[in-house]
Amino acid sequence: AGAAEAMNDILAQVATNTEGNRNSGNAILYECVRTIFSIDCEDALRVLAINILGRFLQNRDNNIRYVALTMLGKVVSVDKDAVQRHRDTIVDCLRDMDVSIRVRAVDLVFALISQSSIEVLSKEILNFLVVAPPEQKKDLCSRLLDAAINFSPSKQWHIHTLISMMCIAGRNVTADTWQMATALIGQPEAEEFRPQVVHRLFAALNEDASQTGLVYTAVWAIGEFGPVLLQPAEKFEGDGYYDALSEAEVLELLEKTRRRHDSTIIARSMIMNAYAKLYVRFSESQAHISELLHAYRSSMNLELQARSCELSTLVASQIDDSWLAQMPVPTDEEMALRRVTASQNSDEESSLGGGSDSEESSSEDSDASSDDEAAKKAARRKAKAAKKKAGGSGAGGSSNELLQFDDIFGGGGGSGNGGAPAAGATGAGAGAGSGNQMDLLADIFGGGGGGAAPSAPAPAPSAPMPSSGGDDLLGMLGGGPASQPVGESFPTLNAFEKNGIKVTMNFARGPGDKQVVVTATYSNSNSAPVSNFLFQAAVPKFISLKMEPPTGNALAPFGGGQQQQRINLVNSMQGTKPIVMKVKISYSMGGQDLVEQATVQGFPMGL
């Protein structure tokens, strides 16, 4: 204790008596500050150190200011209140000519945001967003969205902040931003100030219809709450009034937005929906709206054509207003749950190596700004599907390079020719046995590539029967799996049993050389039902694996309603190396999502 007090006294004397007029003095003060934050010191000494960094921010030398911002960013979590005293100086750094200083200042401003400072600092961030480089805007919008969710003082402020952000950088915001805005506008709590919000969105859309996120939000709000535009409304923070509009003015703006050269397919689809909604909300323009709904009846785009035909037919019939009632929106609790679920799914995809798919999905959500871009994405998806199909077939090729099962099991695998694609196949290709195989080893153990979920349930695999001429003939015609030789039978393998979930495997020889047909049976002995059941497998690279779709993904309680799945194996080292399999089982039970992994050994000899 005595040594600590003596050190505190020495540091206080050095920090107080050292002049910062020269670089040598600044160097001493900086090392003094670093020492203060690296030891257990008094609060007053810590505040003194932060004040020294505050003086550094007023220095004309950019290097010294950069060092001060970096150090404050590290210590803001220790004493945020002391750093808040220098908030004005930190905000001034957002206007600095040096980009590195602006970047550090932005990080520090976001770290300073709290319930009491969110309104002031969000304005500064929005001002900086106007001049920020395009590559930085998306990150700024995402971080400001998170800050508004965590520290918003009111729903009214939250909505107007999101609108301001979309007016400035609507091309750069993610789908989460405009979806959050629409949900907040539609909630019952927003009914009191909803007219001013819809009026502001109308005015913003009329001023700049190139901001994609703003267009989506404004079109949705006009379609759902268009009648409020026919009445005047007070502006936000008492800054005057919005004039009442006519039905013709509202429809004219929507039509002008629809006809823009940069209008996206999503925006045009939403405008068609808005027309249908306004048909039952506007009493004087129904005939004109019916004409507008015919705009895409001959469109080359299938989505727009279908929407135009369906909505035209709908409004032409004896329509019930309830068919086009206001769309229900999620509550705050539901949105929070969705964010948590999305975060967990993102973390799981990242840990399973599914980053490329999630990035592509995110890109599609935030980037659908033109038909050309949509065409490029479609081409990329086709190329990826073709590559996956080519890489997952038969033996050899890139599958062998991807499946390093030996490394997982400590180098025990062989070097056979067979590749090892695995997992439940998806789509029609799986049902037709087209060889649509995927390398799920990377997905299961975090290497790369997305997971595969079985689609439509397939018929239950037929059990192997004793050999006969009739059976052989059926096998030749593709009517069922080839039978095993007379007298040859294999014991049932209990592959997995945990938490009431049991997986058993029965074996039969297949028609091909060294081929084994495995019939996996899944059962649930718990009192609660199981849903979303998914069985995934990976094998060493000397084994080729193809999984057919299961008969279903729901397991009834108490062992009832078992599901089956056929697995075709080809062991290129048959008789030399036994079959070994790594499995991953995921399912939902009792409101929880569970994942289990296990190594299956003990396969019958000779397979």
Side-chain angles (χ1 to χ4, degrees), residues 203-219:
L205 181 62
N206 191 30
E207 181 178 348
D208 184 6
S210 65
Q211 305 288 356
T212 311
L214 175 66
V215 172
Y216 296 162
T217 307
V219 169

Side-chain angles (χ1 to χ4, degrees), residues 109-110 113-115 117-119 121-123 125-126 140-165 176-177 180-181 184 332 335 339:
V109 167
F110 275 109
I113 290 180
S114 61
Q115 194 76 36
S117 63
I118 179 68
E119 297 185 64
L121 294 181
S122 63
K123 290 181 180 179
I125 294 173
L126 290 173
L140 288 172
C141 292
S142 178
R143 296 168 72 180
L144 183 56
L145 174 65
D146 292 338
I149 292 173
N150 294 327
F151 302 108
S152 173
S154 67
K155 269 191 170 55
Q156 186 178 18
W157 177 91
H158 194 172
I159 293 172
H160 282 286
T161 299
L162 295 181
I163 295 175
S164 298
M165 184 167 63
D176 292 340
T177 304
M180 169 70 72
L184 293 174
D332 290 340
M335 287 191 292
R339 288 195 300 272

Side-chain angles (χ1 to χ4, degrees), residues 239-487:
D239 191 20
Y241 283 84
Y242 293 106
D243 295 330
L245 301 168
S246 65
E247 294 181 4
E249 288 176 310
V250 176
L251 296 176
E252 181 182 357
L253 178 61
L254 290 176
E255 188 64 10
K256 184 174 71 172
T257 304
R258 182 186 70 81
R259 292 179 178 273
R260 283 180 60 92
H261 70 282
D262 57 351
S263 180
T264 67
I265 299 298
I266 297 176
R268 294 172 182 172
S269 300
M270 294 181 71
I271 290 173
M272 299 303 289
N273 283 354
Y275 284 153
K277 294 270 187 174
L278 294 176
Y279 183 86
V280 299
R281 290 163 173 72
F282 286 176
S283 58
E284 302 175 0
S285 306
Q286 292 185 342
H288 182 40
I289 293 175
S290 296
E291 296 177 1
L292 294 175
L293 284 172
H294 286 74
Y296 294 114
R297 290 180 71 93
S298 302
S299 173
M300 295 294 291
N301 184 276
L302 184 60
E303 168 65 21
L304 292 177
Q305 184 187 98
R307 197 172 294 246
S308 179
C309 294
E310 291 167 358
L311 294 176
S312 298
T313 305
L314 179 64
V315 300
S317 61
Q318 296 295 328
I319 188 170
D320 187 339
D321 290 357
S322 62
W323 296 353
L324 295 170
Q326 293 179 2
M327 184 180 297
V329 297
T331 63
D332 290 340
E333 293 75 14
E334 290 172 338
M335 287 191 292
L337 180 60
R338 291 181 184 180
R339 288 195 300 272
V340 171
T341 304
S343 176
Q344 292 174 346
N345 291 341
S346 177
D347 293 342
E348 182 177 352
E349 287 179 3
S350 177
S351 65
L352 293 177
S356 60
D357 288 343
S358 61
E359 288 173 9
E360 183 178 347
S361 174
S362 175
S363 172
E364 289 179 10
D365 287 342
S366 62
D367 236 357
S369 60
S370 68
D371 293 345
D372 292 340
E373 191 67 22
K376 292 178 182 177
K377 288 171 185 167
R380 285 199 298 269
R381 285 194 294 268
K382 289 180 180 178
K384 183 176 180 181
K387 180 179 179 182
K388 187 179 294 184
K389 183 176 180 180
S393 60
S398 60
S399 298
N400 289 346
E401 298 173 3
L402 292 173
L403 285 171
Q404 298 300 327
F405 198 83
D406 303 355
D407 299 338
I408 298 174
F409 281 86
S415 56
N417 298 327
T426 62
S434 62
N436 180 17
Q437 306 171 16
M438 296 176 62
D439 176 14
L440 276 187
L441 181 59
D443 177 33
I444 296 174
F445 303 112
S455 56
S462 56
M465 300 291 293
S467 177
S468 69
D471 287 340
D472 292 339
L473 180 60
L474 289 175
M476 291 170 58
L477 296 177
S483 58
Q484 62 192 49
V486 177

